[in-house]
């Protein structure tokens, strides 16, 4: 299937709509609520997901939708759209331009197409699994291979790893050449462009993973859960992305 021909224009239309809403609130008045798990959700999150659900329903009424804020609709359909309206809500709330909208498309249970849009910096990543990836329309690819002790790592903040994995977190941070702590979806875009070699996170949802996976693999990189399993519609919790599978396996030896 020619995913680019069939879906690229619609992905861009969705990203344009999401970005318009995000910029309406970014670094301005921003109503914020708390979910049951005490994580923040903003008015921008809600409006973006509502808008994208309406657009998908109008153009692809037979497709399913899974969104971070409003749940699942026909999740067993052949095609399922997965929406993270504002990934990096805390960054968004504090004026840091590393948030983004993630839109992914699952086909028969596997991520097929993905988009990350950073409206404030006017950056957009688009990818098709194992085929291609672009940044603002220009082809991108991952960095040349590096060993773990020479790698550039993006990793979630300490709070993401509290508990049984905290010692592994510290060990991995000490095993690489450079560390950056917390970059949300923006980190996966930088990895796909060759500016980083490794991204490690946990406590994620399907909406965090489906849209970034096609960008990473489309640029020639590797992405899986911490057990080395492919990202699928059954994904939950832990994810690693790397410029090469060998580098990911080095890191997973520490995380195992």
């Amino acid at each position: 299937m020619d995913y680019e021909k069939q879906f690229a224009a619609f992905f861009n239309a969705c990203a344009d709509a999401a970005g318009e809403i995000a910029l309406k609130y970014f670094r301005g008045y921003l109503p914020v609520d708390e979910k049951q798990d005490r994580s923040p959700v903003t008015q921008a999150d809600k409006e973006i997901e509502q808008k994208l659900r309406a657009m998908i329903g109008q153009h692809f009424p037979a497709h399913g939708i899974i969104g971070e804020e409003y749940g699942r609709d026909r999740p067993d359909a052949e095609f399922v759209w997965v929406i993270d309206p504002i990934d990096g809500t805390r960054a968004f709330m504090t004026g840091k331009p590393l948030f983004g909208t993630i839109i992914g498309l699952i086909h028969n249970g596997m991520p097929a197409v993905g988009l990350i849009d950073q409206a404030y910096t006017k950056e957009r990543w688009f990818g098709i699994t194992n085929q291609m990836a672009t940044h603002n329309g220009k082809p991108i690819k991952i960095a040349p291979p590096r060993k773990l002790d020479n790698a550039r790592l993006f990793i979630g903040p300490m709070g993401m790893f509290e508990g049984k994995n905290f010692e592994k977190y510290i060990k991995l941070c000490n095993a690489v050449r450079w560390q950056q702590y917390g970059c949300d979806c923006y980190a996966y875009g930088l990895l796909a462009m060759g500016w980083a070699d490794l991204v490690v996170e946990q406590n994620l949802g399907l909406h965090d993973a489906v849209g970034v996976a096609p960008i990473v693999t489309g640029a020639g990189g590797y992405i899986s859960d911490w057990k080395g399993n492919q990202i699928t519609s059954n994904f939950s919790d832990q994810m690693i992305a790397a410029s090469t599978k060998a580098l990911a396996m080095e890191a997973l030896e520490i995380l195992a």
Side-chain angles (χ1 to χ4, degrees):
M1 177 178 291
D2 189 340
Y3 292 112
E4 184 176 13
K5 183 177 181 180
Q6 188 166 352
F7 295 111
F10 183 72
F11 267 88
N12 282 321
C14 288
D16 289 345
E20 183 177 347
I21 296 169
L23 294 179
K24 181 174 69 172
Y25 291 105
F26 185 58
R27 295 183 181 173
Y29 174 67
L30 181 64
V32 179
D33 296 318
E34 280 192 350
K35 303 179 190 178
Q36 288 186 345
D37 62 2
R38 302 197 67 185
S39 63
V41 56
T42 73
Q43 185 64 27
D45 290 272
K46 297 175 183 178
E47 287 188 22
I48 289 171
E49 185 167 328
Q50 289 168 348
K51 178 65 175 180
L52 297 188
R53 281 177 174 271
M55 292 175 68
I56 294 165
Q58 180 179 358
H59 287 83
F60 303 104
H63 290 192
I65 303 174
I66 298 174
E68 181 180 15
E69 308 306 336
Y70 295 105
R72 295 172 173 245
D73 182 16
R74 298 185 302 280
D76 297 323
E78 178 184 0
F79 289 95
V80 181
W81 296 81
V82 183
I83 304 166
D84 191 343
I86 297 286
D87 182 72
T89 299
R90 290 177 177 85
F92 187 78
M93 291 165 54
T94 54
K96 185 167 67 173
L98 297 180
F99 67 92
T101 295
I102 307 175
I103 306 170
L105 180 63
I106 292 172
H107 186 204
N108 291 327
M110 302 295 294
V113 190
L115 178 144
I116 301 169
D117 187 68
Q118 212 308 319
Y120 189 76
T121 61
K122 295 180 171 60
E123 293 180 274
R124 185 172 298 173
W125 290 267
F126 178 79
I128 298 174
T129 298
N130 297 324
Q131 292 185 27
M132 56 83 78
T134 62
H135 173 256
N136 288 350
K138 297 180 180 179
I140 54 175
K141 67 176 184 177
I142 47 87
R146 284 181 168 89
K147 300 289 287 182
L148 187 64
D149 61 4
N150 196 38
R152 301 158 296 174
L153 167 70
F154 278 112
I155 194 163
M158 286 187 179
M160 181 180 277
F161 291 86
E162 286 178 344
K164 65 180 182 179
N165 286 322
F166 187 72
E167 289 186 7
K168 299 174 185 178
Y169 169 87
I170 298 298
K171 187 175 181 180
L172 180 60
C173 291
N174 289 334
V176 301
R177 185 175 184 184
W178 296 332
Q179 319 86 4
Q180 292 290 308
Y181 300 96
C183 197
D184 300 307
C185 59
Y186 203 86
Y188 297 93
L190 294 177
L191 171 70
M193 295 175 75
W195 292 109
D197 307 294
L198 191 62
V199 184
V200 176
E201 295 187 286
Q202 69 170 14
N203 300 332
L204 303 178
L206 186 67
H207 54 272
D208 297 299
V210 167
V212 305
I215 295 168
V216 172
T217 66
Y222 173 86
I223 192 165
S224 72
D225 67 15
W226 287 12
K227 295 180 180 179
N229 298 315
Q230 283 185 292
I231 305 301
T232 72
S233 56
N234 295 319
F235 167 83
S236 66
D237 196 20
Q238 299 170 324
M239 188 160 68
I240 184 167
S243 53
T244 65
K245 182 177 180 179
L247 176 60
M249 294 303 109
E250 277 194 88
L252 288 175
E253 285 184 15
I254 293 175
L255 297 171

